[in-house]
Amino acid sequence: MLTCRKWVGAAAAILGLVAAINSAQAQTYPARAITLVIPFAPGGSTSIIGRAIADKMSELLGEKVVVDNRPGAGGTVGTKAVAKSDPDGYTLLLGYTGTLAIGPSLYKNPGYDPRKDFAPIGMIGNAPNSLVVHPSFPAKSVAELIAYAKINPDKVNFGSAGAGTASHITGEYFARTAGIKLVHIPYKGTGPALTDLLGGHIPMAFAPIPASHANVAAGKLRALAVTSVTRSGLLPEVPTMIEAGLASFDASLYYGLVAPAGTPRPIIEKLNKTLRDALAADEVKKQLGNDGTEITPGTPEDYAEFIDKDEKKWSQLVKASGVEQE
């Protein structure tokens, strides 16, 4: 029977061996192509961001980072697949507020835990929604909108990309914070919602800035606010919700990279450095900036802390909205 001292020595030797193996893996990593799963269909901000990052990281790592779009159930299908993948650094996920913060509360059984099933690599950035109204709508500011809604309770409709989407929950968040009642009109995507808004069939909507800013610039829509804590480079003249009087309001959509839980720390560190180098590249800054994304790099620990905080915030908003998906 081993003595306590021998047990300690054996355990230390095992830990040392594991550390040596992990270090060796990191030195030779990557030795083949890496798959970056984007849990949504091609097109839209997630694909723009994911492909920009994948292309630059391919160049920096010397191995191809292949984008794999796996849509379904609000992004939870692809996210679950990565959670169940081998933790070897060859399957990564484009993390997103909709899947890591909203999905776990929105779906009865998403099939993953955003805290336990992933090893955060690093944050990429955030992109806010915009609160846009039809030019015929009488409110020309957030304050005027709130005042109008209080005089006309349950008579102001807002459109979203669908029940349970980030734009829907953002609308509920806005109504709750402002102390007003709005009627939600769900659509099958941002495009149909904006089409009805442009046609004057609904008075307002919450929509991603890349989808709305061209119509705002053309005078076809009026932007009352953006949902981030700082102004958008695409709509620099439009105030934030905080500037409009709603303290601490932040409904930005955050993006980052994660790997399956158990991925060796040296590989996570190598990927974090590569991601940060990619985000510092001029061409990536330009691509993401054109999509309205504010780059906010950080450490794996920064992203882990943020995922925890973001999930807590959005889970409360989802519960308050009363929306639940199968």
Side-chain angles (χ1 to χ4, degrees):
M1 182 178 293
L2 291 175
T3 64
C4 181
R5 182 174 296 176
K6 289 180 178 179
W7 270 114
V8 172
I14 292 171
L15 290 174
L17 178 61
V18 171
I21 292 172
N22 286 345
S23 178
Q25 285 180 323
Q27 289 175 8
T28 59
Y29 172 87
R32 54 186 171 86
I34 299 167
T35 297
L36 173 60
V37 173
I38 298 177
F40 297 95
S45 294
T46 51
S47 285
I48 292 171
I49 291 170
R51 289 185 181 281
I53 293 300
D55 289 347
K56 192 61 183 180
M57 288 184 70
S58 296
E59 178 186 324
L60 295 170
L61 288 169
E63 289 286 351
K64 186 70 175 176
V65 178
V66 181
V67 169
D68 181 6
N69 290 92
R70 296 193 203 177
T76 60
V77 171
T79 302
K80 178 181 177 180
V82 175
K84 307 303 180 185
S85 297
D86 291 335
D88 55 10
Y90 289 98
T91 304
L92 310 179
L93 172 74
L94 182 71
Y96 172 59
T97 292
T99 51
L100 299 184
I102 297 176
S105 296
L106 182 65
Y107 291 88
K108 288 184 178 180
N109 183 24
Y112 59 87
D113 184 310
R115 297 175 181 83
K116 297 179 181 178
D117 292 334
F118 298 103
I121 295 168
M123 190 178 289
I124 294 171
N126 71 86
N129 272 311
S130 57
L131 167 53
V132 286
V133 300
H134 190 268
S136 65
F137 191 61
K140 292 182 172 56
S141 68
V142 171
E144 290 182 6
L145 169 57
I146 293 172
Y148 182 87
K150 287 182 176 179
I151 297 172
N152 300 277
D154 293 319
K155 293 183 180 180
V156 180
N157 300 336
F158 78 93
S160 80
T165 60
S167 56
H168 171 205
I169 305 303
T170 296
E172 302 290 355
Y173 177 22
F174 169 68
R176 183 181 177 190
T177 305
I180 58 177
K181 292 183 178 181
L182 300 173
V183 179
H184 175 231
I185 308 296
Y187 289 85
K188 294 182 178 180
T190 297
L194 288 180
T195 296
D196 261 17
L197 178 60
L198 288 164
H201 302 296
I202 53 174
M204 60 178 281
F206 286 88
I209 289 177
S212 66
H213 86 281
N215 287 311
V216 171
K220 296 178 180 179
L221 294 177
R222 184 163 61 244
L224 301 187
V226 296
T227 63
S228 52
V229 296
T230 58
R231 294 195 180 198
S232 167
L234 292 182
L235 296 173
E237 73 287 353
V238 178
T240 66
M241 286 287 192
I242 295 173
E243 290 174 320
L246 300 182
S248 303
F249 191 101
D250 180 14
S252 292
L253 307 178
Y254 287 84
Y255 304 86
L257 289 187
V258 298
T263 300
R265 177 67 188 193
I267 289 179
I268 294 295
E269 291 176 349
K270 187 168 189 176
L271 287 169
N272 176 264
K273 182 182 184 305
T274 305
L275 173 61
R276 295 173 79 162
D277 288 346
L279 292 173
D282 289 340
E283 62 269 34
V284 174
K285 288 181 180 179
K286 182 177 180 180
Q287 284 177 286
L288 270 57
N290 289 340
D291 190 54
T293 301
E294 178 187 355
I295 295 174
T296 54
T299 66
E301 289 73 24
D302 291 336
Y303 193 28
E305 182 179 349
F306 180 81
I307 289 171
D308 179 64
K309 177 182 175 183
D310 206 35
E311 195 279 333
K312 287 177 180 176
K313 180 182 84 173
W314 285 97
S315 66
Q316 292 176 351
L317 296 173
V318 170
K319 290 174 184 176
S321 73
V323 178
E324 186 177 64
Q325 305 281 29
E326 295 295 331

